[in-house]
Amino acid sequence: MNQCRLRSLVRMRRELALGLLGTDHHILAQLALRTVQTSSQLCGAHDLDSFANGCSAAYIEGLYSKWKRNPKSVDASWDELFGADERPISKRKPFQASLSRKYRRAPVERTALKARLGERTASGGAAPAPSAPPSDWKNIDDHHTIQAIIRAYQSRGHLAADLDPLGIILPHKGASVDGSQRNAAKEVLRQHYSYIFGDLNAMFKLPSSTMIGGDEEFLPLREILDRLERIYCGHIGVEYMQMTSLTKTTWIRDRFEKPGALDLSKEEKKLILERLTRSTGFENFLAKKFSSEKRFGLEGCDIMIPTIKEVVDRSTDKGVESILIGMAHRGRLNVLANICRKPIADILSQFHGLEATDSGSGDVKYHLGVFQERLNRQTNRMVRITVVANPSHLEHVNPVLLGKARAEMFQRGDTCGNKVLPIIIHGDASFCGQGVVYESMHLSDLPNYTTYGTIHIVSNNQVGFTTDPRFSRSSRYCTDVAKVVSAPILHVNADDPEACIKCARIAAEYRDAFKKDVVIDIVGYRRNGHNEADEPMFTQPLMYQRIRKLKTCLQLYSEKLIKEGVVTENEFKALVSEYDKICEEAWAKSKTIKTIRYSSWIDSPWPGFFEGRDRLELCPTGISTDTLKTIGEIFSSPPPPEHKFEMHKGIHRIMALRKQMVQDKVADWSLGEAFAFGSLLKEGIHVRLSGQDVERGTFSHRHHVLHHQTADKVVYNSLDHLYPDQAPYSVSNSSLSECAVLGFEHGYSMASPHALVMWEGQFGDFCNTAQCIIDTFIASGETKWVRQSGVVLLLPHGMEGMGPEHSSGRMERFLQMSDDDPDVYPDTCDCDFVARQLMNINWIVTNFSTPANIFHGLRRQVKMGFRKPLINFSPKSLLRHPLARSPFKDFNECSCFQRIIPDKGPAGKHPECVKKVVFCSGKVYYDLFKERDDHEQVETVALVRVEQLCPFPYDLISQQLELYPEADLLWAQEEHKNMGGWFYVQPRFDTALLKNENESRCVSYHGRPPSSSPATGNKVQHYNEYKAIIKSIFGELTPENKERLEAKIKAQQEKAKADTQSSSSAKGGSSPPAKGGSSGKKRSGSDSVPSPAPAAPEAHSPPMAKPSKNPRSPSKRGASPPSKGESLSKKKSGSDSAPSPSPAAPEAQSPPMDKPSKNPRSPSKRGASPPSKGESFSKKRLGSAPAPSSAPSPHSKPQASRPHFVKNKNSPEETGSEPTKPDL
Ligand SMILES: Cc1ncc(C[n+]2csc(CCOP(=O)(O)OP(=O)(O)O)c2C)c(N)n1
Ligand SMILES: [Mg+2]
């Protein structure tokens, strides 16, 4: 048979089943359905859906072959169907079932049927005896209609379910509070059959797409409808037909449809009552004792506690050992008391306003975390329950919780979520309103982020603060967001405890079976205002009139169970008073508590980490040469031959470059990173790097995950194959989310101190969309919740002419949130000063300029005796900058992290000759380094890099200030004045200067003027701004400077020409590479990174930097010159700065500055434009001489008031000395 035709039949049948076809297609679809189903029934297939998978196709194929041989050998309907294609259209007949007329039912009046249904419902009593199974059950029309009805209930029954205790559900704009919409939905379900059937007692064979019959194959229509009503339109509304997996859909369907599947025993009902008593009792008790205190009670959704408890029971029974809960304010205290079993006295003590005995700022009681290990009495198993502390910002705890859960799974070796279960409790308004919910849900099935299913529970009180759902969402349900991950959604009426428990049970089992997300939407109400002091009648008068008349769920359920004889009234009263007594005793105990400890509310304790450890101990971060060699060797080699791994040609070239560097014992940025990661992995520290495109690196420098060029999904990650007993390395491209992914990594870092967890922004400013996580978790988490995290943020940063949105990692924001006092000079004589300073700050902010420093900085993260977030502004062009290299000696055991890198050239060696000290940070150093050379000021200008901005390295800065007592002090930055590091360092420089009573200098600003935009999008303007900064620091190029530069460029061009000629003659005439290669061009496949700064001065050119060794293909790269006005950090000549493989970093080699520079820039392009408005100017305080270029900047900050400081006990001589121990 024509496959297309078969497929179209299947498709039509499916569409019909899914209710997608409009009425125009109805007849056609019926035909398809009939055809398909008949074949299915005849061939005995039980699952019609299996037809769609092809099982019954064989049957139809058979029929078709038979028909081909003899059209009369098959039923007339098949004849009609098969023949249709081959008959001229004019001769095609509409389909008619071949069954005789007597088997067809006459349609009945809709009203008559309705009347009969009404009778049945009203009487509720015995229905007339069903008639015997009709001999005409093959009446496929009727049977297919029955199937359509069943399918309608399965798909849309939830729309007519009785979910709302208030009877006002359905958030449409025209929704009224009379529940009429629900009735309308019911009509839609019934209309299918009201047209067709007259006899409610008629027997029907049940299709295999339903389990409502259980073991019964036939049921009377009345019973079918009854069962469907009860299952789909009762207190549970199951939304599951949207799921894409047939297996899961069938699983859910069976769980709800099987008769008796949801029955609860008497004991189970008693347990629900007991738990509901506690849940309600807890809120009642708090209301009684603290009537005006905010507690965000659960009243109206009290069943949430027994629901969670059921999930806990079921899951622990299945083997879960650790449950992590993320939730907001509503019902949180109740969860702590009744789910975690945090002593009630401790909870009550939070209401007493007690002083804390430990440091930190604490948090309000309904945000605190909890970590409890306890016995689950139902399953007799130990379970650890954690409620993760969260900020006020709703839903932002979700990714944090997921990350923590994932990390716990990793630690436990739980590779498929059998032992760890995340539960997230949502509010209805926030679940549909907050984007982070969607972002987090999208992590649910990603290999490196999955938590193997999260159970979501919505405490849906049908209001958010004062806003009705009809004004807060456009979706029908607040849970619609979960459909994106094809999760089943179980809506349930909060006033039906048994229904809620059934949903909890099914949800736990579903998660256990499929390890996928599932949602329970508990539809209740909020008995009080948003908080207990709020008046809800201001805004929801009708709703609250109704609420006031409602009995509590506990009242309703206790009455029900008393009526059923499950408990007596006295037993129930005893339950209530027993719990009240527990609360009273806890209350009495709470009054004896005089202080609180923030640390007793910690959600992520690290047992064994702090005990017996000297937190201030400085651990070295350098590694052995052997380790460097091993890592370097493997990292620069292709996968071992046995992998038969076909690498990209470009990767071969990169490997060759790396190999060369390893041979020359010098490292670029990617090697520096690899040394850090690899050495930690060797030491058993798990390393995880996540973010958009981190596997290759946004700027194509990393290439940790290699892709087989001819085999799909075959990758190789050499850092995961360094040592046989190393820790696992996880590097993972993430979903395109900052908020959820950063939250996730932060959560991951909370789970254990023995891991280096990093998130890298694609461009630093994308951290904007993770600001909430940064502010409320990373910056302040330790202070609020006594919880440490060593998470690392790598934020590419730097003004490279790439426009406003790709230039800044918004360093200023991080610095502003740093909590060190700018006016206090710390006790730098303290022998633990460095470690103490780190320990006392909320996070560390760095702007590394060398591969060695990123290496030490990252290793320091896990070598400290405590954990701190590290915010590092990573470079872009420096990733390949020829000067941004570090010799191997800067990684070995004698090396350490450099908080500042002083000038080690002529200026640093002869400080007495220095007229200016330029402090700077990050990439701008390399620009200044080159400009200083061009301006021939290497002896008179010292460049000092501040690598660690926060905490401010007062001790080392003071040493520098004292080293150059006569010099002007400058701060140079490429960022705008209201951005970058200036506003942070300025008051701290002042504090450092004012420590010395004889000091009269201050630091002047040299950078871009203030701006609302982080950078210009205009390259000419960018360049002019740059020139202005340079001019303000070094002045104009003198005629001698220009002459020297011109001569140098000429020499360079000649040399390049000579090289070109010799190389082309050597190659038999093929065109030669431009000197220096072509890295300034956009790298293929990489996001555009500006070329590195100009080539290194000759003094830095190492032996292997010869162009002939550059393995890059010149024909493909670097052919066209950069456009006019391109950033100074770009090369201006055709020799578009390939990273010359390994010049040592300037600070390491202190080059002789009198050698001619390799700078190929044309002097004609320089110094032409006048300084821009915000050109920076030296600013002297207290009478010191002005810097060369200038008048005071209109933007300079007024002189700071004299700060107070702790006097440094060091003598000036001492402060000038080299540090004697590793600089942590
Ligand atoms: C991101 C964010 N926006 C706004 C708020 C202020 N706020 C606190 S609770 C609340 C209403 C939340 O409604 P819902 O999610 O339905 O939870 P409920 O309080 O009803 O349990 C609002 C708007 C907040 N805490 N976080
Ligand atoms: Mg709400």
Side-chain angles (χ1 to χ4, degrees):
M1 177 185 200
N2 178 340
Q3 287 297 316
C4 283
R5 180 153 180 78
L6 183 59
R7 269 201 296 277
S8 88
L9 284 174
V10 172
R11 200 187 63 243
M12 279 196 289
R13 178 201 160 273
R14 276 192 159 166
E15 284 171 346
L16 175 76
L18 294 170
L20 295 176
L21 288 179
T23 42
D24 290 351
H25 293 91
H26 188 72
I27 295 170
L28 202 55
Q30 280 288 345
L31 169 63
L33 178 64
R34 199 156 30 219
T35 310
V36 169
Q37 188 161 5
T38 308
S39 67
S40 180
Q41 282 169 346
L42 288 174
C43 71
H46 287 295
D47 188 349
L48 272 178
D49 286 312
S50 62
F51 176 87
N53 294 329
C55 295
S56 303
Y59 172 75
I60 298 182
E61 292 281 6
L63 276 181
Y64 184 66
S65 315
K66 210 169 153 196
W67 173 82
K68 270 279 201 196
R69 285 193 298 275
N70 173 13
K72 298 292 161 220
S73 66
V74 300
D75 184 272
S77 62
W78 288 109
D79 180 18
E80 182 59 32
L81 183 76
F82 294 148
D85 278 347
E86 297 176 19
R87 272 191 294 279
I89 288 177
S90 58
K91 299 219 165 145
R92 287 183 200 170
K93 284 187 268 170
F95 174 81
Q96 276 210 315
S98 62
L99 299 172
S100 73
R101 276 195 160 276
K102 68 177 179 170
Y103 295 124
R104 300 180 66 77
R105 283 178 198 287
V108 290
E109 277 297 309
R110 189 176 178 184
T111 44
L113 178 67
K114 267 171 127 184
R116 279 203 293 279
L117 282 171
E119 265 168 37
R120 175 176 66 84
T121 325
S123 68
S131 31
S135 57
D136 61 345
W137 64 266
K138 283 196 178 67
N139 183 329
I140 54 176
D141 272 351
D142 289 358
H143 279 81
H144 291 153
T145 309
I146 287 293
Q147 191 184 13
I149 291 169
I150 292 169
R151 189 52 70 111
Y153 271 94
Q154 290 169 335
S155 305
R156 294 186 290 277
H158 58 87
L159 300 177
D162 182 9
L163 299 177
D164 178 13
L166 301 179
I168 60 172
I169 212 161
L170 288 192
H172 299 310
K173 300 281 181 281
S176 63
V177 290
D178 63 3
S180 57
Q181 300 242 4
R182 192 178 145 244
N183 294 333
K186 281 204 164 186
E187 283 301 311
V188 174
L189 291 173
R190 290 179 176 185
Q191 73 188 8
H192 279 290
Y193 58 82
S194 16
Y195 292 126
I196 294 169
F197 303 108
D199 181 7
L200 283 171
N201 295 321
M203 289 298 276
F204 285 92
K205 183 175 186 295
L206 294 166
S208 57
S209 58
T210 185
M211 287 299 293
I212 58 170
D215 296 335
E216 292 168 281
E217 229 180 316
F218 297 89
L219 282 180
L221 175 60
R222 178 192 307 285
E223 187 60 22
I224 292 174
L225 298 175
D226 227 32
R227 290 188 188 189
L228 289 170
E229 260 320 287
R230 264 186 280 126
I231 293 163
Y232 289 107
C233 301
H235 285 156
I236 299 175
V238 207
E239 248 192 301
Y240 69 110
M241 293 297 281
Q242 76 282 1
M243 291 161 64
T244 48
S245 154
L246 193 58
T247 318
K248 294 188 192 84
T249 310
T250 311
W251 189 96
I252 290 281
R253 192 193 64 202
D254 290 359
R255 284 297 183 290
F256 280 97
E257 288 189 351
K258 247 185 199 155
L262 299 179
D263 289 351
L264 294 170
S265 71
K266 204 171 154 185
E267 286 316 306
E268 286 171 327
K269 291 180 183 182
K270 258 188 178 169
L271 184 64
I272 299 172
L273 184 69
E274 230 175 273
R275 289 174 166 178
L276 188 59
T277 306
R278 285 173 170 250
S279 168
T280 312
F282 182 77
E283 299 296 351
N284 287 347
F285 183 80
L286 291 185
K288 190 167 72 184
K289 295 290 182 201
F290 311 101
S291 56
S292 58
E293 277 269 353
K294 275 189 202 174
R295 65 187 153 84
F296 296 102
L298 196 52
E299 294 99 323
C301 213
D302 320 64
I303 195 60
M304 189 178 91
I305 298 296
T307 306
I308 302 172
K309 280 181 99 72
E310 180 67 20
V311 169
V312 173
D313 291 351
R314 285 283 145 175
S315 305
T316 44
D317 194 37
K318 300 275 181 196
V320 165
E321 294 167 1
S322 174
I323 294 177
L324 294 103
I325 301 177
M327 69 179 300
H329 50 288
R330 182 79 54 213
R332 191 181 183 99
L333 299 179
N334 211 326
V335 168
L336 302 190
N338 285 313
I339 305 289
C340 309
R341 292 284 171 86
K342 177 92 179 160
I344 297 176
D346 288 358
I347 299 172
L348 298 180
S349 70
Q350 289 286 333
F351 284 84
H352 297 327
L354 302 173
E355 206 174 310
T357 54
D358 46 2
S359 58
S361 62
D363 201 347
V364 290
K365 50 191 167 292
Y366 40 85
H367 287 168
L368 296 174
V370 156
F371 170 89
Q372 295 282 118
E373 199 126 29
R374 68 178 188 84
L375 184 74
N376 180 291
R377 293 205 205 106
Q378 297 306 312
T379 56
N380 220 20
R381 290 175 192 235
M382 285 304 290
V383 60
R384 170 194 284 195
I385 302 188
T386 307
V387 175
V388 176
N390 67 288
S392 166
H393 296 59
L394 297 165
E395 304 288 347
H396 282 78
V397 74
N398 304 1
V400 177
L401 175 97
L402 297 174
K404 186 167 156 58
R406 170 83 189 191
E408 238 192 89
M409 287 173 189
F410 171 80
Q411 284 159 21
R412 288 169 179 262
D414 179 11
T415 52
C416 47
N418 284 334
K419 294 179 184 162
V420 179
L421 165 70
I423 300 176
I424 305 182
I425 299 164
H426 309 266
D428 54 317
S430 48
F431 194 46
C432 59
Q434 290 291 306
V436 70
V437 174
Y438 178 87
E439 289 186 31
S440 308
M441 283 224 159
H442 264 292
L443 301 179
S444 69
D445 225 5
L446 306 183
N448 286 307
Y449 302 84
T450 179
T451 49
Y452 305 99
T454 298
I455 299 184
H456 301 266
I457 301 176
V458 186
S459 118
N460 180 352
N461 52 22
Q462 308 188 63
V463 62
F465 204 99
T466 65
T467 306
D468 287 350
R470 63 194 148 145
F471 297 113
S472 72
R473 65 173 188 257
S474 299
S475 59
R476 177 178 288 270
Y477 295 112
C478 65
T479 52
D480 281 1
V481 63
K483 289 184 188 169
V484 297
V485 292
S486 219
I489 301 164
L490 318 179
H491 307 279
V492 59
N493 188 319
D495 268 357
D496 184 342
E498 291 173 16
C500 292
I501 298 311
K502 288 167 192 171
C503 288
R505 192 169 290 184
I506 290 172
E509 285 170 3
Y510 177 86
R511 192 270 175 182
D512 177 64
F514 298 108
K515 300 294 189 295
K516 298 280 176 197
D517 283 26
V518 51
V519 181
I520 308 171
D521 173 24
I522 306 178
V523 186
Y525 55 93
R526 190 184 70 192
R527 193 166 276 277
N528 302 312
H530 176 62
N531 63 58
E532 289 63 30
D534 258 357
E535 170 52 88
M537 291 288 280
F538 285 151
T539 49
Q540 273 74 28
L542 296 188
M543 185 192 228
Y544 275 81
Q545 277 168 26
R546 197 167 279 212
I547 289 173
R548 297 275 138 85
K549 290 185 199 142
L550 291 180
K551 289 182 178 179
T552 65
C553 179
L554 182 62
Q555 273 172 297
L556 293 170
Y557 194 53
S558 59
E559 284 169 16
K560 177 177 181 280
L561 293 198
I562 290 167
K563 204 167 156 193
E564 283 178 19
V566 175
V567 287
T568 64
E569 198 160 345
N570 284 343
E571 280 170 341
F572 171 60
K573 279 184 183 155
L575 275 180
V576 175
S577 59
E578 189 192 329
Y579 188 68
D580 205 44
K581 192 165 156 244
I582 291 172
C583 291
E584 285 293 350
E585 282 167 9
W587 163 250
K589 192 171 171 202
S590 75
K591 287 204 278 195
T592 65
I593 300 173
K594 297 293 172 224
T595 53
I596 52 164
R597 283 182 62 76
Y598 296 137
S599 53
S600 57
W601 293 84
I602 194 164
D603 59 9
S604 308
W606 292 336
F609 179 64
F610 294 113
E611 289 83 13
R613 172 187 277 256
D614 175 5
R615 293 194 194 192
L616 298 174
E617 192 193 346
L618 301 171
C619 291
T621 49
I623 58 174
S624 72
T625 314
D626 277 354
T627 308
L628 286 171
K629 268 195 197 147
T630 309
I631 298 170
E633 196 49 48
I634 296 175
F635 189 58
S636 61
S637 305
E642 63 268 23
H643 287 268
K644 298 196 171 84
F645 196 93
E646 207 175 301
M647 281 197 326
H648 187 276
K649 268 192 286 181
I651 305 285
H652 278 290
R653 289 196 292 270
I654 289 168
M655 292 287 180
L657 265 173
R658 282 182 187 162
K659 187 139 271 173
Q660 187 63 59
M661 282 192 283
V662 173
Q663 274 167 21
D664 296 329
K665 295 192 169 46
V666 70
D668 70 352
W669 210 271
S670 72
L671 263 173
E673 270 184 1
F675 288 152
F677 296 4
S679 56
L680 290 172
L681 293 168
K682 177 175 186 261
E683 293 163 27
I685 300 292
H686 168 45
V687 176
R688 177 179 165 95
L689 172 62
S690 133
Q692 291 147 37
D693 313 296
V694 295
E695 294 175 5
R696 186 199 73 175
T698 301
F699 311 108
S700 207
H701 80 291
R702 188 173 286 131
H703 293 287
H704 283 190
V705 177
L706 307 180
H707 291 259
H708 197 299
Q709 295 297 298
T710 52
D712 189 27
K713 295 179 192 145
V714 178
V715 293
Y716 188 81
N717 178 351
S718 61
L719 290 183
D720 217 13
H721 297 90
L722 296 172
Y723 300 92
D725 53 352
Q726 71 170 73
Y729 173 46
S730 155
V731 55
S732 174
N733 287 351
S734 71
S735 85
L736 211 165
S737 148
E738 287 76 30
C739 189
V741 178
L742 177 58
F744 189 96
E745 301 312 330
H746 175 69
Y748 201 101
S749 75
M750 279 156 45
S752 164
H754 306 294
L756 176 66
V757 183
M758 294 163 286
W759 175 75
E760 183 173 75
Q762 192 166 55
F763 282 94
D765 47 356
F766 295 132
C767 72
N768 280 340
T769 47
Q771 198 64 49
C772 181
I773 298 292
I774 292 166
D775 290 6
T776 63
F777 286 93
I778 300 175
S780 54
E782 184 180 355
T783 306
K784 292 189 290 193
W785 308 315
V786 208
R787 175 178 83 195
Q788 297 191 355
S789 153
V791 72
V792 177
L793 274 64
L794 300 173
L795 303 175
H797 174 89
M799 309 283 276
E800 318 215 346
M802 296 175 80
E805 263 63 81
H806 291 107
S807 295
S808 172
R810 309 312 301 238
M811 179 188 295
E812 59 282 356
R813 292 195 195 141
F814 293 92
L815 291 171
Q816 193 209 3
M817 280 189 277
S818 302
D819 65 2
D820 57 333
D821 188 336
D823 300 330
V824 176
Y825 192 87
D827 178 7
T828 52
C829 297
D830 172 3
C831 60
D832 292 320
F833 164 68
V834 178
R836 197 180 300 285
Q837 208 193 12
L838 289 168
M839 195 171 75
N840 291 338
I841 197 90
N842 60 330
W843 57 20
I844 304 163
V845 182
T846 53
N847 194 10
F848 301 136
S849 66
T850 68
N853 241 9
I854 179 87
F855 163 84
H856 288 291
L858 290 178
R859 283 181 55 79
R860 186 177 71 160
Q861 278 302 96
V862 280
K863 293 286 167 188
M864 295 187 294
F866 46 86
R867 294 289 173 265
K868 284 292 153 182
L870 168 67
I871 318 300
N872 181 53
F873 294 91
S874 330
K876 294 177 283 184
S877 61
L878 289 200
L879 297 172
R880 280 187 269 281
H881 196 293
L883 294 185
R885 307 278 165 101
S886 300
F888 273 22
K889 72 176 176 54
D890 286 358
F891 297 85
N892 70 19
E893 290 103 329
C894 302
S895 63
C896 60
F897 176 65
Q898 306 284 299
R899 285 176 294 146
I900 70 163
I901 303 179
D903 196 313
K904 293 178 187 164
K909 284 183 184 142
H910 300 285
E912 68 283 358
C913 304
V914 169
K915 295 199 171 66
K916 283 185 203 169
V917 182
V918 182
F919 292 93
C920 62
S921 188
K923 172 209 149 235
V924 72
Y925 164 77
Y926 292 95
D927 294 331
L928 297 174
F929 179 82
K930 193 211 142 293
E931 296 290 350
R932 180 179 65 173
D933 187 34
D934 287 354
H935 288 75
E936 295 174 281
Q937 295 178 14
V938 287
E939 272 135 12
T940 53
V941 177
L943 299 178
V944 180
R945 278 173 275 179
V946 183
E947 299 276 299
Q948 177 182 293
L949 287 153
C950 166
F952 194 65
Y954 283 101
D955 51 342
L956 303 180
I957 293 287
S958 289
Q959 285 173 14
Q960 293 297 306
L961 298 176
E962 287 160 20
L963 184 64
Y964 306 100
E966 300 302 325
D968 289 341
L969 305 173
L970 289 73
W971 171 260
Q973 68 175 35
E974 52 180 4
E975 297 88 353
H976 288 278
K977 194 172 189 179
N978 52 335
M979 299 169 193
W982 170 239
F983 89 93
Y984 178 84
V985 299
Q986 190 205 24
R988 287 163 180 81
F989 270 119
D990 281 347
T991 301
L993 286 163
L994 287 166
K995 179 183 72 85
N996 181 350
E997 282 172 8
N998 300 321
E999 185 61 81
S1000 62
R1001 294 175 296 175
C1002 73
V1003 179
S1004 59
Y1005 171 76
H1006 299 259
R1008 287 178 164 82
S1011 166
S1012 58
S1013 166
T1016 172
N1018 179 311
K1019 290 209 170 180
V1020 177
Q1021 190 177 335
H1022 170 79
Y1023 176 51
N1024 288 342
E1025 288 171 359
Y1026 171 86
K1027 278 195 304 183
I1029 298 170
I1030 295 305
K1031 191 176 154 201
S1032 82
I1033 297 169
F1034 299 108
E1036 295 276 13
L1037 284 169
T1038 62
E1040 294 76 29
N1041 296 153
K1042 287 182 186 168
E1043 207 175 295
R1044 173 178 164 261
L1045 278 170
E1046 268 164 20
K1048 191 170 74 177
I1049 289 162
K1050 203 169 160 201
Q1052 222 166 22
Q1053 283 167 347
E1054 274 163 16
K1055 187 164 184 293
K1057 209 168 147 192
D1059 285 349
T1060 306
Q1061 276 162 3
S1062 65
S1063 126
S1064 51
S1065 56
K1067 286 180 185 171
S1070 67
S1071 74
K1075 187 179 175 192
S1078 57
S1079 69
K1081 299 309 297 172
K1082 194 167 168 177
R1083 294 173 67 86
S1084 67
S1086 71
D1087 217 327
S1088 59
V1089 189
S1091 66
E1098 242 164 44
H1100 292 284
S1101 304
M1104 71 286 187
K1106 288 172 192 160
S1108 58
K1109 283 204 178 176
N1110 185 347
R1112 295 199 188 152
S1113 158
S1115 61
K1116 286 192 182 165
R1117 317 174 63 90
S1120 54
S1123 62
K1124 189 183 168 205
E1126 221 167 333
S1127 150
L1128 259 194
S1129 62
K1130 288 210 170 192
K1131 268 207 165 185
K1132 296 280 194 278
S1133 78
S1135 61
D1136 207 358
S1137 72
S1140 63
S1142 62
E1147 85 283 2
Q1149 295 197 351
S1150 304
M1153 292 304 181
D1154 51 351
K1155 288 203 177 174
S1157 160
K1158 277 190 175 174
N1159 178 9
R1161 279 192 251 151
S1162 155
S1164 64
K1165 287 193 177 175
R1166 303 173 50 92
S1169 326
S1172 66
K1173 165 193 159 207
E1175 188 176 358
S1176 53
F1177 303 93
S1178 277
K1179 182 184 72 170
K1180 271 259 180 182
R1181 197 183 50 175
L1182 305 181
S1184 52
S1189 67
S1190 332
S1193 160
H1195 309 296
S1196 35
K1197 195 175 167 177
Q1199 184 184 324
S1201 62
R1202 190 181 174 86
H1204 53 287
F1205 56 84
V1206 181
K1207 218 167 173 4
N1208 186 0
K1209 291 185 209 138
N1210 277 359
S1211 69
E1213 292 78 21
E1214 280 166 345
T1215 54
S1217 65
E1218 288 281 315
T1220 52
K1221 57 180 177 175
D1223 183 7
L1224 186 72

